[in-house]
Amino acid sequence: MENKRGRGLPEGARPAEHWDEIGFQINGLSHMIRWLTHQYQGEDGARSGAGMYGWLIGFLYDNRDKDIYQRDLQKHFSVRRSTMTGILQVMEKEGMVTRRPVEWDARLKKIELTEKAVQSHERFRKTIEDIEARISSGLTPEEKETFIRLCGKIRAAVDQKEPRSHTPQEEGKDT
C-alpha cells in the first residue's frame, strides 16, 4: 500500500517534514511549473514567453483598452514592487513593453506592449494553454473549480494578514 504522504519517494524514504502543509505544497508546485515553463522554447530557441512574461503580456494584451500601471500588475500577479520593477526592466530591455509617463503625474508610468510583444502573443498563449492542459489533466472540471476557489481563499487570507515574526523573546511572553 502506497503512503499518500510519500508519493514519488524511494522505498524506505520518509516524506518531507512539512508534506501536509499548504505552503510546502504550493511552493513545490510553483517550482515544478516554473521548470515546466522553461522547457518550452520557440522555434528560434528563444524563451517561449511562458511563465510570468507570458502571463503579463497576456494580461496587458487583454487589457489594451485600459490604462495599466505597475501597481495594477503588482496587485494582479501578487508580487512585490521590487519584483515587478525587475520584471518590467527586463521586458523593456527585450523590447516587449514601454513605460510612458502620464501627463498628470510624471512619477506614474503607463505600461504598454510593443508591436513585438503583440506579434508574439499568440505563441505565448499557445504555450500557456499547453502548460495549463498538462497541469490540469489529472483533475475533473469540479476539482479544478474547487482548486481555483481554494486558491482565492488562500490569497484573500494572505492579503489580509501581515506576517508575524516569531522571535525567541516572544515565545515566552504571555499575550
PDB file of all heavy atoms in Angstrom, residues 76-106:
ATOM      1  N   HIS A  76      -2.377  42.361  -9.391  1.00  0.00           N
ATOM      2  CA  HIS A  76      -2.946  41.247 -10.152  1.00  0.00           C
ATOM      3  C   HIS A  76      -2.095  39.979 -10.032  1.00  0.00           C
ATOM      4  O   HIS A  76      -2.635  38.880  -9.935  1.00  0.00           O
ATOM      5  CB  HIS A  76      -3.106  41.638 -11.619  1.00  0.00           C
ATOM      6  CG  HIS A  76      -3.747  40.573 -12.443  1.00  0.00           C
ATOM      7  ND1 HIS A  76      -5.096  40.315 -12.402  1.00  0.00           N
ATOM      8  CD2 HIS A  76      -3.219  39.679 -13.316  1.00  0.00           C
ATOM      9  CE1 HIS A  76      -5.373  39.314 -13.210  1.00  0.00           C
ATOM     10  NE2 HIS A  76      -4.258  38.907 -13.785  1.00  0.00           N
ATOM     11  N   PHE A  77      -0.768  40.139 -10.062  1.00  0.00           N
ATOM     12  CA  PHE A  77       0.122  38.974 -10.033  1.00  0.00           C
ATOM     13  C   PHE A  77       0.673  38.668  -8.641  1.00  0.00           C
ATOM     14  O   PHE A  77       1.497  37.769  -8.484  1.00  0.00           O
ATOM     15  CB  PHE A  77       1.270  39.167 -11.042  1.00  0.00           C
ATOM     16  CG  PHE A  77       0.792  39.110 -12.462  1.00  0.00           C
ATOM     17  CD1 PHE A  77       0.611  40.269 -13.196  1.00  0.00           C
ATOM     18  CD2 PHE A  77       0.489  37.895 -13.061  1.00  0.00           C
ATOM     19  CE1 PHE A  77       0.150  40.214 -14.502  1.00  0.00           C
ATOM     20  CE2 PHE A  77       0.023  37.834 -14.367  1.00  0.00           C
ATOM     21  CZ  PHE A  77      -0.148  38.999 -15.088  1.00  0.00           C
ATOM     22  N   SER A  78       0.210  39.410  -7.647  1.00  0.00           N
ATOM     23  CA  SER A  78       0.603  39.175  -6.251  1.00  0.00           C
ATOM     24  C   SER A  78       2.112  39.161  -6.059  1.00  0.00           C
ATOM     25  O   SER A  78       2.669  38.233  -5.479  1.00  0.00           O
ATOM     26  CB  SER A  78       0.005  37.856  -5.741  1.00  0.00           C
ATOM     27  OG  SER A  78      -1.385  37.844  -5.869  1.00  0.00           O
ATOM     28  N   VAL A  79       2.774  40.192  -6.579  1.00  0.00           N
ATOM     29  CA  VAL A  79       4.224  40.304  -6.402  1.00  0.00           C
ATOM     30  C   VAL A  79       4.555  41.673  -5.807  1.00  0.00           C
ATOM     31  O   VAL A  79       3.784  42.624  -5.935  1.00  0.00           O
ATOM     32  CB  VAL A  79       5.014  40.103  -7.717  1.00  0.00           C
ATOM     33  CG1 VAL A  79       4.799  38.703  -8.273  1.00  0.00           C
ATOM     34  CG2 VAL A  79       4.657  41.145  -8.753  1.00  0.00           C
ATOM     35  N   ARG A  80       5.710  41.734  -5.170  1.00  0.00           N
ATOM     36  CA  ARG A  80       6.162  42.985  -4.573  1.00  0.00           C
ATOM     37  C   ARG A  80       6.598  43.968  -5.648  1.00  0.00           C
ATOM     38  O   ARG A  80       6.912  43.588  -6.775  1.00  0.00           O
ATOM     39  CB  ARG A  80       7.320  42.717  -3.613  1.00  0.00           C
ATOM     40  CG  ARG A  80       6.911  41.915  -2.407  1.00  0.00           C
ATOM     41  CD  ARG A  80       8.043  41.797  -1.434  1.00  0.00           C
ATOM     42  NE  ARG A  80       9.324  41.612  -2.099  1.00  0.00           N
ATOM     43  CZ  ARG A  80      10.228  40.722  -1.769  1.00  0.00           C
ATOM     44  NH1 ARG A  80      10.014  39.917  -0.774  1.00  0.00           N
ATOM     45  NH2 ARG A  80      11.364  40.643  -2.420  1.00  0.00           N
ATOM     46  N   ARG A  81       6.666  45.226  -5.242  1.00  0.00           N
ATOM     47  CA  ARG A  81       7.065  46.292  -6.165  1.00  0.00           C
ATOM     48  C   ARG A  81       8.436  46.025  -6.768  1.00  0.00           C
ATOM     49  O   ARG A  81       8.640  46.177  -7.974  1.00  0.00           O
ATOM     50  CB  ARG A  81       7.042  47.623  -5.414  1.00  0.00           C
ATOM     51  CG  ARG A  81       7.319  48.797  -6.293  1.00  0.00           C
ATOM     52  CD  ARG A  81       7.133  50.073  -5.509  1.00  0.00           C
ATOM     53  NE  ARG A  81       8.272  50.928  -5.778  1.00  0.00           N
ATOM     54  CZ  ARG A  81       8.655  51.927  -5.046  1.00  0.00           C
ATOM     55  NH1 ARG A  81       8.008  52.208  -3.945  1.00  0.00           N
ATOM     56  NH2 ARG A  81       9.678  52.651  -5.387  1.00  0.00           N
ATOM     57  N   SER A  82       9.396  45.629  -5.937  1.00  0.00           N
ATOM     58  CA  SER A  82      10.753  45.399  -6.436  1.00  0.00           C
ATOM     59  C   SER A  82      10.792  44.271  -7.457  1.00  0.00           C
ATOM     60  O   SER A  82      11.531  44.347  -8.449  1.00  0.00           O
ATOM     61  CB  SER A  82      11.709  45.108  -5.277  1.00  0.00           C
ATOM     62  OG  SER A  82      11.287  43.957  -4.556  1.00  0.00           O
ATOM     63  N   THR A  83       9.987  43.249  -7.239  1.00  0.00           N
ATOM     64  CA  THR A  83       9.928  42.120  -8.179  1.00  0.00           C
ATOM     65  C   THR A  83       9.373  42.585  -9.519  1.00  0.00           C
ATOM     66  O   THR A  83       9.945  42.296 -10.577  1.00  0.00           O
ATOM     67  CB  THR A  83       9.061  40.983  -7.604  1.00  0.00           C
ATOM     68  OG1 THR A  83       9.628  40.556  -6.364  1.00  0.00           O
ATOM     69  CG2 THR A  83       8.968  39.809  -8.573  1.00  0.00           C
ATOM     70  N   MET A  84       8.270  43.318  -9.479  1.00  0.00           N
ATOM     71  CA  MET A  84       7.660  43.778 -10.726  1.00  0.00           C
ATOM     72  C   MET A  84       8.571  44.772 -11.434  1.00  0.00           C
ATOM     73  O   MET A  84       8.666  44.760 -12.666  1.00  0.00           O
ATOM     74  CB  MET A  84       6.280  44.398 -10.465  1.00  0.00           C
ATOM     75  CG  MET A  84       5.525  44.751 -11.736  1.00  0.00           C
ATOM     76  SD  MET A  84       5.308  43.387 -12.935  1.00  0.00           S
ATOM     77  CE  MET A  84       4.215  42.303 -12.033  1.00  0.00           C
ATOM     78  N   THR A  85       9.269  45.624 -10.690  1.00  0.00           N
ATOM     79  CA  THR A  85      10.208  46.559 -11.308  1.00  0.00           C
ATOM     80  C   THR A  85      11.257  45.800 -12.100  1.00  0.00           C
ATOM     81  O   THR A  85      11.554  46.135 -13.251  1.00  0.00           O
ATOM     82  CB  THR A  85      10.883  47.454 -10.239  1.00  0.00           C
ATOM     83  OG1 THR A  85       9.876  48.246  -9.612  1.00  0.00           O
ATOM     84  CG2 THR A  85      11.940  48.357 -10.851  1.00  0.00           C
ATOM     85  N   GLY A  86      11.815  44.756 -11.499  1.00  0.00           N
ATOM     86  CA  GLY A  86      12.831  43.945 -12.188  1.00  0.00           C
ATOM     87  C   GLY A  86      12.291  43.278 -13.435  1.00  0.00           C
ATOM     88  O   GLY A  86      12.938  43.267 -14.487  1.00  0.00           O
ATOM     89  N   ILE A  87      11.095  42.730 -13.338  1.00  0.00           N
ATOM     90  CA  ILE A  87      10.467  42.069 -14.487  1.00  0.00           C
ATOM     91  C   ILE A  87      10.251  43.075 -15.618  1.00  0.00           C
ATOM     92  O   ILE A  87      10.582  42.810 -16.774  1.00  0.00           O
ATOM     93  CB  ILE A  87       9.130  41.413 -14.077  1.00  0.00           C
ATOM     94  CG1 ILE A  87       9.386  40.216 -13.157  1.00  0.00           C
ATOM     95  CG2 ILE A  87       8.313  40.994 -15.298  1.00  0.00           C
ATOM     96  CD1 ILE A  87       8.144  39.693 -12.464  1.00  0.00           C
ATOM     97  N   LEU A  88       9.710  44.233 -15.282  1.00  0.00           N
ATOM     98  CA  LEU A  88       9.437  45.249 -16.305  1.00  0.00           C
ATOM     99  C   LEU A  88      10.718  45.791 -16.920  1.00  0.00           C
ATOM    100  O   LEU A  88      10.763  46.065 -18.123  1.00  0.00           O
ATOM    101  CB  LEU A  88       8.588  46.379 -15.724  1.00  0.00           C
ATOM    102  CG  LEU A  88       7.141  46.001 -15.393  1.00  0.00           C
ATOM    103  CD1 LEU A  88       6.447  47.129 -14.658  1.00  0.00           C
ATOM    104  CD2 LEU A  88       6.372  45.591 -16.638  1.00  0.00           C
ATOM    105  N   GLN A  89      11.768  45.920 -16.130  1.00  0.00           N
ATOM    106  CA  GLN A  89      13.049  46.380 -16.675  1.00  0.00           C
ATOM    107  C   GLN A  89      13.579  45.402 -17.714  1.00  0.00           C
ATOM    108  O   GLN A  89      14.043  45.805 -18.785  1.00  0.00           O
ATOM    109  CB  GLN A  89      14.075  46.578 -15.555  1.00  0.00           C
ATOM    110  CG  GLN A  89      13.821  47.815 -14.728  1.00  0.00           C
ATOM    111  CD  GLN A  89      14.732  47.913 -13.516  1.00  0.00           C
ATOM    112  OE1 GLN A  89      15.321  46.932 -13.058  1.00  0.00           O
ATOM    113  NE2 GLN A  89      14.836  49.121 -12.975  1.00  0.00           N
ATOM    114  N   VAL A  90      13.495  44.099 -17.419  1.00  0.00           N
ATOM    115  CA  VAL A  90      13.953  43.086 -18.375  1.00  0.00           C
ATOM    116  C   VAL A  90      13.075  43.109 -19.622  1.00  0.00           C
ATOM    117  O   VAL A  90      13.580  43.086 -20.749  1.00  0.00           O
ATOM    118  CB  VAL A  90      13.958  41.680 -17.733  1.00  0.00           C
ATOM    119  CG1 VAL A  90      14.185  40.597 -18.779  1.00  0.00           C
ATOM    120  CG2 VAL A  90      15.014  41.598 -16.637  1.00  0.00           C
ATOM    121  N   MET A  91      11.768  43.189 -19.424  1.00  0.00           N
ATOM    122  CA  MET A  91      10.858  43.196 -20.572  1.00  0.00           C
ATOM    123  C   MET A  91      11.052  44.446 -21.424  1.00  0.00           C
ATOM    124  O   MET A  91      10.931  44.379 -22.649  1.00  0.00           O
ATOM    125  CB  MET A  91       9.411  43.057 -20.098  1.00  0.00           C
ATOM    126  CG  MET A  91       9.112  41.691 -19.503  1.00  0.00           C
ATOM    127  SD  MET A  91       7.408  41.513 -18.990  1.00  0.00           S
ATOM    128  CE  MET A  91       6.612  41.333 -20.591  1.00  0.00           C
ATOM    129  N   GLU A  92      11.364  45.554 -20.797  1.00  0.00           N
ATOM    130  CA  GLU A  92      11.623  46.785 -21.544  1.00  0.00           C
ATOM    131  C   GLU A  92      12.920  46.644 -22.341  1.00  0.00           C
ATOM    132  O   GLU A  92      12.978  47.007 -23.517  1.00  0.00           O
ATOM    133  CB  GLU A  92      11.708  47.961 -20.567  1.00  0.00           C
ATOM    134  CG  GLU A  92      11.581  49.307 -21.198  1.00  0.00           C
ATOM    135  CD  GLU A  92      11.405  50.413 -20.166  1.00  0.00           C
ATOM    136  OE1 GLU A  92      11.822  50.272 -19.005  1.00  0.00           O
ATOM    137  OE2 GLU A  92      10.835  51.455 -20.556  1.00  0.00           O
ATOM    138  N   LYS A  93      13.921  46.076 -21.708  1.00  0.00           N
ATOM    139  CA  LYS A  93      15.215  45.868 -22.373  1.00  0.00           C
ATOM    140  C   LYS A  93      15.069  44.924 -23.574  1.00  0.00           C
ATOM    141  O   LYS A  93      15.726  45.101 -24.600  1.00  0.00           O
ATOM    142  CB  LYS A  93      16.214  45.293 -21.366  1.00  0.00           C
ATOM    143  CG  LYS A  93      17.617  45.174 -21.887  1.00  0.00           C
ATOM    144  CD  LYS A  93      18.541  44.679 -20.789  1.00  0.00           C
ATOM    145  CE  LYS A  93      19.952  44.526 -21.312  1.00  0.00           C
ATOM    146  NZ  LYS A  93      20.867  44.037 -20.277  1.00  0.00           N
ATOM    147  N   GLU A  94      14.193  43.930 -23.449  1.00  0.00           N
ATOM    148  CA  GLU A  94      13.958  42.969 -24.529  1.00  0.00           C
ATOM    149  C   GLU A  94      12.988  43.506 -25.585  1.00  0.00           C
ATOM    150  O   GLU A  94      12.655  42.803 -26.530  1.00  0.00           O
ATOM    151  CB  GLU A  94      13.439  41.646 -23.955  1.00  0.00           C
ATOM    152  CG  GLU A  94      14.486  40.902 -23.148  1.00  0.00           C
ATOM    153  CD  GLU A  94      13.977  39.584 -22.586  1.00  0.00           C
ATOM    154  OE1 GLU A  94      12.789  39.231 -22.793  1.00  0.00           O
ATOM    155  OE2 GLU A  94      14.780  38.895 -21.935  1.00  0.00           O
ATOM    156  N   GLY A  95      12.508  44.731 -25.398  1.00  0.00           N
ATOM    157  CA  GLY A  95      11.621  45.340 -26.383  1.00  0.00           C
ATOM    158  C   GLY A  95      10.196  44.837 -26.346  1.00  0.00           C
ATOM    159  O   GLY A  95       9.484  44.913 -27.358  1.00  0.00           O
ATOM    160  N   MET A  96       9.738  44.369 -25.184  1.00  0.00           N
ATOM    161  CA  MET A  96       8.380  43.835 -25.078  1.00  0.00           C
ATOM    162  C   MET A  96       7.380  44.847 -24.517  1.00  0.00           C
ATOM    163  O   MET A  96       6.204  44.776 -24.830  1.00  0.00           O
ATOM    164  CB  MET A  96       8.374  42.580 -24.191  1.00  0.00           C
ATOM    165  CG  MET A  96       9.293  41.474 -24.715  1.00  0.00           C
ATOM    166  SD  MET A  96       8.915  41.000 -26.398  1.00  0.00           S
ATOM    167  CE  MET A  96       7.773  39.686 -26.118  1.00  0.00           C
ATOM    168  N   VAL A  97       7.848  45.765 -23.672  1.00  0.00           N
ATOM    169  CA  VAL A  97       6.965  46.776 -23.101  1.00  0.00           C
ATOM    170  C   VAL A  97       7.651  48.129 -23.107  1.00  0.00           C
ATOM    171  O   VAL A  97       8.885  48.220 -23.202  1.00  0.00           O
ATOM    172  CB  VAL A  97       6.522  46.452 -21.639  1.00  0.00           C
ATOM    173  CG1 VAL A  97       5.739  45.159 -21.564  1.00  0.00           C
ATOM    174  CG2 VAL A  97       7.704  46.446 -20.693  1.00  0.00           C
ATOM    175  N   THR A  98       6.834  49.155 -23.006  1.00  0.00           N
ATOM    176  CA  THR A  98       7.340  50.510 -22.772  1.00  0.00           C
ATOM    177  C   THR A  98       6.644  51.036 -21.530  1.00  0.00           C
ATOM    178  O   THR A  98       5.521  50.613 -21.199  1.00  0.00           O
ATOM    179  CB  THR A  98       7.050  51.452 -23.958  1.00  0.00           C
ATOM    180  OG1 THR A  98       5.633  51.507 -24.168  1.00  0.00           O
ATOM    181  CG2 THR A  98       7.751  50.986 -25.217  1.00  0.00           C
ATOM    182  N   ARG A  99       7.322  51.941 -20.846  1.00  0.00           N
ATOM    183  CA  ARG A  99       6.732  52.622 -19.683  1.00  0.00           C
ATOM    184  C   ARG A  99       6.707  54.106 -20.016  1.00  0.00           C
ATOM    185  O   ARG A  99       7.755  54.720 -20.193  1.00  0.00           O
ATOM    186  CB  ARG A  99       7.553  52.355 -18.419  1.00  0.00           C
ATOM    187  CG  ARG A  99       7.488  50.893 -18.001  1.00  0.00           C
ATOM    188  CD  ARG A  99       8.123  50.669 -16.675  1.00  0.00           C
ATOM    189  NE  ARG A  99       9.571  50.532 -16.811  1.00  0.00           N
ATOM    190  CZ  ARG A  99      10.378  50.186 -15.840  1.00  0.00           C
ATOM    191  NH1 ARG A  99       9.889  49.968 -14.641  1.00  0.00           N
ATOM    192  NH2 ARG A  99      11.669  50.077 -16.041  1.00  0.00           N
ATOM    193  N   ARG A 100       5.494  54.644 -20.146  1.00  0.00           N
ATOM    194  CA  ARG A 100       5.331  56.040 -20.553  1.00  0.00           C
ATOM    195  C   ARG A 100       4.721  56.848 -19.402  1.00  0.00           C
ATOM    196  O   ARG A 100       3.690  56.455 -18.865  1.00  0.00           O
ATOM    197  CB  ARG A 100       4.415  56.135 -21.758  1.00  0.00           C
ATOM    198  CG  ARG A 100       4.944  55.400 -22.967  1.00  0.00           C
ATOM    199  CD  ARG A 100       4.069  55.711 -24.182  1.00  0.00           C
ATOM    200  NE  ARG A 100       4.317  54.777 -25.255  1.00  0.00           N
ATOM    201  CZ  ARG A 100       5.324  54.872 -26.117  1.00  0.00           C
ATOM    202  NH1 ARG A 100       6.178  55.842 -26.001  1.00  0.00           N
ATOM    203  NH2 ARG A 100       5.482  53.990 -27.082  1.00  0.00           N
ATOM    204  N   PRO A 101       5.340  57.998 -19.093  1.00  0.00           N
ATOM    205  CA  PRO A 101       4.750  58.863 -18.059  1.00  0.00           C
ATOM    206  C   PRO A 101       3.397  59.397 -18.518  1.00  0.00           C
ATOM    207  O   PRO A 101       3.187  59.618 -19.706  1.00  0.00           O
ATOM    208  CB  PRO A 101       5.753  60.006 -17.911  1.00  0.00           C
ATOM    209  CG  PRO A 101       6.916  59.676 -18.769  1.00  0.00           C
ATOM    210  CD  PRO A 101       6.562  58.529 -19.651  1.00  0.00           C
ATOM    211  N   VAL A 102       2.505  59.581 -17.575  1.00  0.00           N
ATOM    212  CA  VAL A 102       1.204  60.169 -17.897  1.00  0.00           C
ATOM    213  C   VAL A 102       1.291  61.679 -17.677  1.00  0.00           C
ATOM    214  O   VAL A 102       2.123  62.152 -16.908  1.00  0.00           O
ATOM    215  CB  VAL A 102       0.065  59.548 -17.043  1.00  0.00           C
ATOM    216  CG1 VAL A 102      -0.138  58.090 -17.405  1.00  0.00           C
ATOM    217  CG2 VAL A 102       0.343  59.691 -15.561  1.00  0.00           C
ATOM    218  N   GLU A 103       0.448  62.418 -18.350  1.00  0.00           N
ATOM    219  CA  GLU A 103       0.507  63.881 -18.328  1.00  0.00           C
ATOM    220  C   GLU A 103       0.320  64.465 -16.925  1.00  0.00           C
ATOM    221  O   GLU A 103       0.967  65.427 -16.559  1.00  0.00           O
ATOM    222  CB  GLU A 103      -0.549  64.473 -19.260  1.00  0.00           C
ATOM    223  CG  GLU A 103      -0.250  64.253 -20.715  1.00  0.00           C
ATOM    224  CD  GLU A 103      -1.326  64.842 -21.616  1.00  0.00           C
ATOM    225  OE1 GLU A 103      -2.099  65.703 -21.135  1.00  0.00           O
ATOM    226  OE2 GLU A 103      -1.390  64.434 -22.782  1.00  0.00           O
ATOM    227  N   TRP A 104      -0.579  63.885 -16.136  1.00  0.00           N
ATOM    228  CA  TRP A 104      -0.944  64.483 -14.851  1.00  0.00           C
ATOM    229  C   TRP A 104      -0.003  64.109 -13.705  1.00  0.00           C
ATOM    230  O   TRP A 104      -0.069  64.707 -12.642  1.00  0.00           O
ATOM    231  CB  TRP A 104      -2.384  64.140 -14.484  1.00  0.00           C
ATOM    232  CG  TRP A 104      -2.613  62.661 -14.282  1.00  0.00           C
ATOM    233  CD1 TRP A 104      -2.513  61.973 -13.114  1.00  0.00           C
ATOM    234  CD2 TRP A 104      -2.984  61.709 -15.273  1.00  0.00           C
ATOM    235  NE1 TRP A 104      -2.780  60.644 -13.318  1.00  0.00           N
ATOM    236  CE2 TRP A 104      -3.083  60.458 -14.645  1.00  0.00           C
ATOM    237  CE3 TRP A 104      -3.237  61.787 -16.643  1.00  0.00           C
ATOM    238  CZ2 TRP A 104      -3.424  59.303 -15.336  1.00  0.00           C
ATOM    239  CZ3 TRP A 104      -3.573  60.632 -17.312  1.00  0.00           C
ATOM    240  CH2 TRP A 104      -3.667  59.419 -16.658  1.00  0.00           C
ATOM    241  N   ASP A 105       0.906  63.118 -13.907  1.00  0.00           N
ATOM    242  CA  ASP A 105       1.830  62.733 -12.839  1.00  0.00           C
ATOM    243  C   ASP A 105       3.037  62.037 -13.459  1.00  0.00           C
ATOM    244  O   ASP A 105       2.956  60.881 -13.853  1.00  0.00           O
ATOM    245  CB  ASP A 105       1.134  61.812 -11.839  1.00  0.00           C
ATOM    246  CG  ASP A 105       1.980  61.498 -10.617  1.00  0.00           C
ATOM    247  OD1 ASP A 105       3.196  61.773 -10.627  1.00  0.00           O
ATOM    248  OD2 ASP A 105       1.421  60.976  -9.634  1.00  0.00           O
ATOM    249  N   ALA A 106       4.156  62.734 -13.540  1.00  0.00           N
ATOM    250  CA  ALA A 106       5.352  62.196 -14.202  1.00  0.00           C
ATOM    251  C   ALA A 106       5.899  60.961 -13.490  1.00  0.00           C
ATOM    252  O   ALA A 106       6.629  60.168 -14.081  1.00  0.00           O
ATOM    253  CB  ALA A 106       6.431  63.264 -14.294  1.00  0.00           C
TER     254      ALA A 106
END
